[in-house]
Amino acid sequence: MTSDNRAPIGIFDSGIGGLTVVKAVMKQLPHEDIIYFGDTARVPYGIKSVETIRDYAIQITNFLLEKKVKAILIACNSVSAAANEQIRECSSPVPVLDVVEAGTVASLKEKNINNRIGIIGTLATVGSGTYEKSIHKYAPEKNIYSKACPLLVPLAEEGWVDNEVADLVLQKYLADFKSKDMDVLILGCTHYPLFKSNIEDFFTGTDTKVIDSAISIAEMTSKLLKDKKLLNSQNESGKFECFVSDKPQRFQLLAERFLGKKLHRLDIVSLK
Ligand code: DGL
């Protein structure tokens, strides 16, 4: 195992969604090198079986371990739901953080009047009941309303996050939530923060706060690295290297637009 503080942080998702986590980590930890894997050949994960998602996730984890990362961030709720334990087992002693835990922590920090939490996510995440388990471990009194929104990931991968089609799809998915008086709505898929402002607009005039786990997982990463004395103090500014399993040009376009910076490296890797 590497415990070199100059080693990169490994972050992964099925596609571009995990870049919402990358952006928050870059802001929180600007001196850290980051290696990102986006499984663009096999996205979306959220409509696949637990076994398939687990298989893909272990392949990516092994790839990141070969790159000698000092920590792994699971920037995919569907993977957190399907393969959290397996990833931790095969990565040990490299520490692992995941977005479901981060989203849970973030939502429980918010003010709580009605004890109602809404969750939107992929079919895999919502079907697994992972958020219910995670939230009820700390706060069994919470009422949880969840809904799968499978059309949002293809829209985000297409870059259609801010047009009338996205708005219409969001309105359909979110309609049931409006009357629920929720304290928070957790964006339980890392692609969904790309629609955050549209979703916030939808809840304008209600007391529902929209939560994404990216800032929370970035803060958890900072604490973890500090506690383990793994913060990179040598680097002037962190490098960002990306690996995808297909269509690098499209990924590069969306990634550079979203992050507002050039990628230092982008390679195709096919995993088995
Ligand atoms: N962004 C991922 C998540 O958080 C995966 C979405 C997908 O590939 O369906 O669940």
Side-chain angles (χ1 to χ4, degrees):
M1 175 225 167
T2 178
S3 55
D4 181 354
N5 61 355
R6 284 165 307 179
I9 299 170
I11 304 181
F12 76 96
D13 178 44
S14 59
I16 60 162
L19 294 174
T20 57
V21 169
V22 168
K23 195 172 188 172
V25 172
M26 281 176 169
K27 189 154 181 228
Q28 178 85 27
L29 295 163
H31 306 295
E32 298 296 333
D33 291 340
I34 295 173
I35 291 189
Y36 183 79
F37 190 92
D39 201 357
T40 48
R42 304 189 287 199
V43 65
Y45 278 12
I47 54 169
K48 297 192 167 75
S49 68
V50 169
E51 292 72 23
T52 300
I53 298 173
R54 209 171 266 170
D55 199 26
Y56 294 170
I58 297 296
Q59 291 170 10
I60 300 172
T61 302
N62 286 329
F63 170 79
L64 292 175
L65 291 171
E66 275 164 27
K67 295 277 174 202
K68 304 260 179 279
V69 295
K70 62 184 172 187
I72 292 180
L73 310 191
I74 308 175
C76 176
N77 291 262
S78 310
V79 168
S80 310
N84 208 343
E85 269 172 40
Q86 290 75 6
I87 292 173
R88 281 165 206 268
E89 244 166 58
C90 85
S91 307
S92 176
V94 174
V96 175
L97 294 172
D98 73 275
V99 277
V100 171
E101 175 74 7
T104 300
V105 168
S107 70
L108 295 178
K109 272 191 200 150
E110 291 301 322
K111 76 169 166 39
N112 248 295
I113 297 163
N114 300 316
N115 266 332
R116 294 176 181 197
I117 294 181
I119 292 151
I120 52 174
T122 65
L123 288 162
T125 300
V126 170
S128 70
T130 188
Y131 270 101
E132 283 81 347
K133 279 178 228 142
S134 177
I135 291 167
H136 283 154
K137 200 167 66 187
Y138 302 105
E141 72 286 3
K142 299 284 176 212
N143 294 306
I144 298 174
Y145 306 93
S146 54
K147 188 174 181 85
C149 307
L151 289 178
L152 295 183
V153 169
L155 282 174
E157 290 286 327
E158 192 55 36
W160 283 25
V161 293
D162 197 14
N163 65 19
E164 62 288 5
V165 180
D167 278 342
L168 205 61
V169 172
L170 283 168
Q171 275 167 30
K172 280 268 186 205
Y173 280 141
L174 299 176
D176 291 347
F177 284 116
K178 202 123 190 203
S179 57
K180 296 271 194 276
D181 288 332
M182 301 170 312
D183 300 306
V184 296
L185 174 77
I186 301 176
L187 305 181
C189 170
T190 51
H191 283 71
Y192 297 179
L194 297 166
F195 303 95
K196 192 170 180 194
S197 61
N198 324 40
I199 297 175
E200 282 173 337
D201 285 351
F202 183 86
F203 285 102
T204 304
T206 73
D207 290 327
T208 303
K209 169 139 195 234
V210 178
I211 304 275
D212 85 66
S213 47
I215 297 167
S216 176
I217 199 168
E219 286 168 358
M220 287 162 74
T221 309
S222 171
K223 180 169 181 331
L224 174 91
L225 297 184
K226 203 178 286 166
D227 290 351
K228 293 195 174 288
K229 305 211 177 343
L230 282 174
L231 281 172
N232 189 336
S233 44
Q234 278 95 335
N235 244 356
E236 185 61 30
S237 82
K239 269 203 316 292
F240 180 45
E241 300 189 334
C242 284
F243 297 86
V244 293
S245 45
D246 204 358
K247 280 183 87 178
Q249 299 82 355
R250 173 120 201 97
F251 178 88
Q252 180 165 17
L253 183 82
L254 293 173
E256 291 185 348
R257 192 193 298 160
F258 176 68
L259 296 171
K261 61 157 78 179
K262 293 257 168 251
L263 311 184
H264 291 103
R265 175 179 180 184
L266 177 62
D267 280 340
I268 306 191
V269 175
S270 116
L271 296 180
K272 277 188 201 77

